[in-house]
Amino acid sequence: MSERRCPKCLAINPVDALTCVKCGEPMLQGLNLFKTLVEIRQSTVKKDDYMIKMSLLHMVTAFLPEPANLGVEAPSSEGKTYPIVETARLFPDDCVWYLVGLSPAALAHDYGELVDAETREPLQPKLLQLQSELEDLKKDKSAEARQRRRQIQTEISRLMRNAAYLINLEGRVLLFLDKPNPETLQKLYPILSHDAYEASYKFTDRAKGPLRTVHVILQGWPVAVFIRTKSEGEADTWQQTISRFTIISPQMSAEKYREAIRLRTKMRGLPTPILTRILGLSMESWAKQALDLVAKRLTEIKVKARAAARTPKTNIFWIPFYQKIGEGFPAEIGRRMRDSDRFLALLQAHAGINVFARPRLVYPDGAEYIICVREDFDEVASLYFSEEEKTIIFTGLPRHIVEFFEKVIKPLWDEKAKSHPADEKLIYGLLVSEMVDAAPKNFGKALSDNTIRKLYLPPLENAGFISVEPDPADKRRNIIRVLREDVEKTGENGIFSGSLNFSLEELKEAWNEIIKICDSNPLSKNTCCDDLPRIEDFDGTPLTLEDLYNKYFILERGFESRISQGENQGSSGESGEKKEESRKNHGESRNLIKILGEAAGGICEFCGAPAEVVAEVGDLGRRYMCRKCAEQEDASKNKLKCGDCRFYSAGRCAKHPEWITVLPSCIACDLFEPKEEG
């Protein structure tokens, strides 16, 4: 299809158009908006894609029923605020509140609307009308005028006694650019924890008169983004905060610093019109429009779902593979319960930001539920369970603290362990002075005794990695012992060891679960379960289960970003040079097969038969396979199936059944020339 119709004005547009040529509306149907926005932001944020993606996903949850909060922690001057603020610039202006040291009183005055505490009716128009009438009566000296003035003053006093400042936090991103006021943070805790949809507090205020008590009502669940330098502030307060946040840290490498310096010199050295074209800054206004449409669409779905459920805590997503996540997500400590909830929130956020490219369940009453697909899982799992980042997420420790443990404390501990017998392990320990000496060489920078004791050791002790105890030989100093020698090995089991392995039969089972619940619903008429839901594509096209599976659970490539497609790029976003390189390299890497172990279930990802083994297949990574395919792969260097068309024709390409090809698509997709079988 070379043309697409604009959903708003029905004008015909090129298939790769980002904006309608007639009405200027962003063309979002079928677009991987998440990938597109990341590419837009990469123009001004260098070598920190992880920060872009995580902040983008968390901020989008502001439009979902239950948002997810984000905490960023790193030493000063490491670039932790810049990528967050740059990503926030892509959102509509009224969506993001940039907060600096805001007191509870200032929060009420700056962002609150004066309403009747009972009816929630706005009072400002009525108060202005009464004040205006009062001013007009001041010149009238008659008895009637004096009586009317007293009546107006009494009415104003009555209204103010029952008044409250209503702060609507729904759909908002609270971006704390500096250390927040502890009192304000304390007031927000019930809201940030989603313990209550509304919370209230009172403070005394002197505004043109005597002290009076002001009532404040916080309504709705926002996204809070908290940016923190090292370990500033009270430890207890911070522990309360991080329990409500996902903690991430920016990249800290010389390569990133060099790229950032190059960008700075470019921004200072070029006139704005030239810079705008080079960096594509004009796309920021397109991004604001696109995210505004996403916000409106998600809000529409959310409002209908909340009305049907009669509670703000509702779910607008169907995750067909939720049971796999429930069985495969790490569960070794209690903290993982919150970790799993945050993972699911980001999974939903990825589907939500791509709402115009996602199928949905539609009920007869009009309620809609977005279907999360394989692409959503793969993207979020790659962020949450990457080797470099999962330690930070799962421990709540910032990157520099983790690196200090791995590069300074752990080597010193291992070295000391070698020189002491095993039965003396509880006797020896490390001294802070030893860490001071090792830091310049192992950690790359010098740290003082005071810095290590106050900023580096307490977080590690709170997380259970070390213990700090008085030295038996010298009570004036402490010794440090390592309690956990491996920082985190989480995520190496189950579905998180590779991409999602979800069969058509499992999809049918998930669908049957919905059907059974709908059929057995005991409620009376006029409920969403009176009739069965239907499955529709993002454009309203009806989908069968087979259609849904073939389009959203087989293909690994999914919908592409259109922003990266240029004259020298194909539909997959690869340049001609990269495609040529792929042609040369695929023949070398596609044949490497290594059996890792027995498969616990699932289907073979090459022929559709029951899976028997888990194998490492070249660039494909871990794959579920039957033994026959594994043996054929090992024996024949050419027998791998089409990554795009698998299961369509007995594991062969539907358009070219004589070819059996490998990553990521076949000759039908014009990636490389496969060899004929046999």
Side-chain angles (χ1 to χ4, degrees):
M1 182 175 62
S2 59
E3 295 179 332
R4 298 169 66 250
R5 191 175 293 276
C6 173
K8 182 178 180 181
C9 68
L10 304 181
I12 300 298
N13 289 269
V15 69
D16 59 348
L18 283 170
T19 306
C20 176
V21 294
K22 182 178 180 181
C23 68
E25 188 90 351
M27 299 284 289
L28 302 181
Q29 282 200 340
L31 173 67
N32 188 329
L33 182 60
F34 176 73
K35 183 178 179 181
T36 303
L37 293 175
V38 170
E39 290 174 353
I40 291 173
R41 196 65 292 150
Q42 284 172 335
S43 64
T44 58
V45 178
K46 301 300 183 181
K47 300 297 181 181
D48 227 335
D49 290 356
Y50 186 79
M51 289 280 284
I52 298 174
K53 292 178 179 180
M54 290 294 280
S55 58
L56 181 58
L57 286 176
H58 279 82
M59 291 180 190
V60 165
T61 64
F63 312 135
L64 302 181
E66 288 197 74
N69 303 310
L70 180 67
V72 184
E73 187 173 5
S76 180
S77 302
E78 289 292 346
K80 57 186 175 297
T81 303
Y82 178 73
I84 300 296
V85 173
E86 284 293 290
T87 303
R89 285 175 52 194
L90 301 180
F91 285 76
D93 294 334
D94 61 346
C95 175
V96 183
W97 293 358
Y98 299 91
L99 306 178
V100 180
L102 204 64
S103 69
L107 180 65
H109 289 303
D110 292 352
Y111 296 97
E113 179 185 14
L114 200 62
V115 300
D116 186 287
E118 296 294 331
T119 65
R120 306 298 166 85
E121 178 185 355
L123 294 181
Q124 201 63 34
K126 188 178 293 186
L127 288 171
L128 289 175
Q129 180 182 352
L130 292 173
Q131 291 287 359
S132 176
E133 185 179 353
L134 191 63
E135 287 293 325
D136 294 339
L137 290 172
K138 282 184 177 180
K139 299 178 183 179
D140 192 340
K141 304 299 182 181
S142 65
E144 293 82 359
R146 287 197 300 272
Q147 183 179 0
R148 178 56 184 159
R149 286 198 296 270
R150 286 195 295 270
Q151 291 175 347
I152 292 175
Q153 290 169 346
T154 301
E155 178 66 11
I156 292 175
S157 298
R158 185 189 67 81
L159 290 174
M160 293 305 297
R161 279 197 304 272
N162 299 326
Y165 281 103
L166 178 65
I167 304 176
N168 184 11
L169 300 173
E170 189 75 19
R172 300 288 184 262
V173 177
L174 310 184
L175 180 49
F176 293 94
L177 296 174
D178 199 359
K179 182 180 177 181
N181 186 302
E183 287 187 60
T184 304
L185 203 56
Q186 195 73 33
K187 308 298 185 189
L188 290 171
Y189 277 157
I191 292 293
L192 299 182
S193 298
H194 304 169
D195 295 332
Y197 188 70
E198 285 190 357
S200 63
Y201 65 89
K202 295 182 179 181
F203 65 93
T204 54
D205 188 30
R206 185 191 298 275
K208 296 182 179 180
L211 284 172
R212 67 184 183 92
T213 300
V214 178
H215 184 197
V216 181
I217 301 173
L218 303 172
Q219 184 183 74
W221 291 326
V223 170
V225 181
F226 188 93
I227 302 172
R228 182 172 184 259
T229 299
K230 277 192 177 180
S231 299
E232 63 187 17
E234 296 296 328
D236 292 341
T237 303
W238 180 237
Q239 288 302 315
Q240 291 185 48
T241 302
I242 63 174
S243 68
R244 297 165 171 84
F245 287 66
T246 300
I247 303 299
I248 63 173
S249 293
Q251 291 293 326
M252 292 180 280
S253 65
E255 184 182 8
K256 171 191 169 178
Y257 306 150
R258 174 56 60 199
E259 287 296 324
I261 292 171
R262 288 171 179 162
L263 176 64
R264 292 289 182 183
T265 56
K266 185 181 295 184
M267 297 176 74
R268 292 278 188 174
L270 292 174
T272 299
I274 304 299
L275 191 67
T276 299
R277 294 191 63 179
I278 290 177
L279 299 182
L281 299 182
S282 59
M283 288 299 297
E284 289 185 1
S285 60
W286 179 91
K288 287 180 184 291
Q289 284 183 284
L291 283 171
D292 186 52
L293 292 175
V294 168
K296 290 176 180 176
R297 182 74 178 104
L298 291 175
T299 301
E300 176 188 5
I301 296 173
K302 177 174 64 177
V303 169
K304 289 182 181 179
R306 281 178 170 173
R310 298 181 181 180
T311 176
K313 277 196 176 184
T314 186
N315 182 32
I316 61 173
F317 296 90
W318 179 38
I319 307 176
F321 45 88
Y322 75 90
Q323 291 184 344
K324 282 184 169 287
I325 298 176
E327 294 300 322
F329 200 90
E332 73 278 9
I333 58 175
R335 176 193 168 96
R336 298 294 172 257
M337 292 186 288
R338 282 190 172 180
D339 291 331
S340 65
D341 195 54
R342 291 166 183 155
F343 173 81
L344 290 167
L346 295 192
L347 175 66
Q348 293 177 339
H350 191 270
I353 199 172
N354 290 313
V355 62
F356 292 102
R358 286 293 174 269
R360 57 188 185 267
L361 289 179
V362 182
Y363 281 88
D365 65 350
E368 300 173 84
Y369 299 87
I370 304 165
I371 300 176
C372 297
V373 301
R374 176 177 180 168
E375 184 179 42
D376 302 319
F377 175 87
D378 287 349
E379 179 65 48
V380 176
S382 69
L383 293 173
Y384 224 74
F385 288 91
S386 67
E387 288 300 322
E388 187 175 2
E389 306 296 344
K390 69 182 180 184
T391 300
I392 298 169
I393 290 177
F394 282 108
T395 62
L397 296 174
R399 189 184 308 278
H400 65 287
I401 300 294
V402 173
E403 290 184 352
F404 181 78
F405 177 82
E406 292 180 330
K407 296 180 179 180
V408 177
I409 296 180
K410 185 65 167 53
L412 287 174
W413 180 260
D414 291 341
E415 183 179 345
K416 188 158 289 192
K418 293 178 183 178
S419 59
H420 289 75
D423 56 355
E424 293 183 11
K425 193 170 184 179
L426 295 178
I427 300 177
Y428 64 80
L430 302 178
L431 300 176
V432 174
S433 59
E434 295 175 319
M435 300 178 191
V436 172
D437 295 337
K441 179 181 178 181
N442 297 351
F443 196 50
K445 60 181 178 181
L447 297 174
S448 68
D449 178 286
N450 191 54
T451 298
I452 292 176
R453 282 190 293 103
K454 290 188 175 182
L455 299 183
Y456 283 83
L457 297 184
L460 289 169
E461 185 178 22
N462 291 334
F465 288 101
I466 63 171
S467 66
V468 180
E469 308 164 8
D471 187 351
D474 187 349
K475 299 296 184 181
R476 295 172 299 176
R477 65 185 184 185
N478 291 327
I479 59 172
I480 293 87
R481 295 193 175 101
V482 173
L483 303 179
R484 293 169 58 184
E485 298 193 15
D486 56 335
V487 179
E488 279 293 330
K489 296 297 181 183
T490 305
E492 294 186 354
N493 61 313
I495 59 173
F496 300 99
S497 60
S499 61
L500 180 67
N501 183 38
F502 189 64
S503 69
L504 177 58
E505 290 303 316
E506 289 172 314
L507 177 61
K508 289 179 179 179
E509 290 176 7
W511 175 251
N512 288 337
E513 179 186 27
I514 290 180
I515 301 302
K516 288 178 182 178
I517 294 174
C518 290
D519 285 342
S520 62
N521 191 287
L523 299 178
S524 60
K525 293 293 182 181
N526 300 321
T527 69
C528 66
C529 292
D530 288 338
D531 294 304
L532 299 180
R534 62 185 183 275
I535 301 175
E536 290 184 358
D537 209 350
F538 58 82
D539 58 0
T541 304
L543 294 177
T544 65
L545 284 178
E546 288 75 12
D547 294 335
L548 178 67
Y549 185 79
N550 290 335
K551 185 169 184 178
Y552 292 103
F553 291 95
I554 290 182
L555 301 185
E556 297 195 21
R557 193 166 53 184
F559 292 104
E560 294 293 339
S561 159
R562 295 189 212 116
I563 194 173
S564 63
Q565 298 179 18
E567 293 181 359
N568 298 323
Q569 294 172 318
S571 60
S572 65
E574 285 188 305
S575 65
E577 293 179 358
K578 287 186 177 180
K579 289 176 70 175
E580 182 62 31
E581 184 179 353
S582 295
R583 291 188 177 98
K584 294 178 180 179
N585 294 338
H586 278 160
E588 300 172 3
S589 62
R590 66 184 182 180
N591 306 315
L592 302 178
I593 307 297
K594 181 181 179 182
I595 304 299
L596 301 177
E598 299 292 326
I603 59 172
C604 175
E605 297 189 55
F606 294 89
C607 71
E612 298 171 289
V613 298
V614 180
E616 190 79 24
V617 186
D619 292 341
L620 282 167
R622 296 188 181 188
R623 288 291 181 264
Y624 287 79
M625 304 177 69
C626 65
R627 292 191 182 279
K628 182 178 179 181
C629 286
E631 292 170 359
Q632 288 179 345
E633 294 263 359
D634 206 27
S636 171
K637 302 305 182 184
N638 303 318
K639 292 189 176 181
L640 286 176
K641 60 179 290 297
C642 176
D644 273 347
C645 308
R646 54 186 167 197
F647 306 151
Y648 277 15
S649 179
R652 298 169 185 263
C653 176
K655 293 185 179 181
H656 304 271
E658 67 273 25
W659 303 117
I660 300 180
T661 63
V662 71
L663 275 173
S665 51
C666 70
I667 189 174
C669 310
D670 192 31
L671 181 64
F672 67 92
E673 288 284 345
K675 296 180 180 180
E676 185 174 1
E677 181 186 5

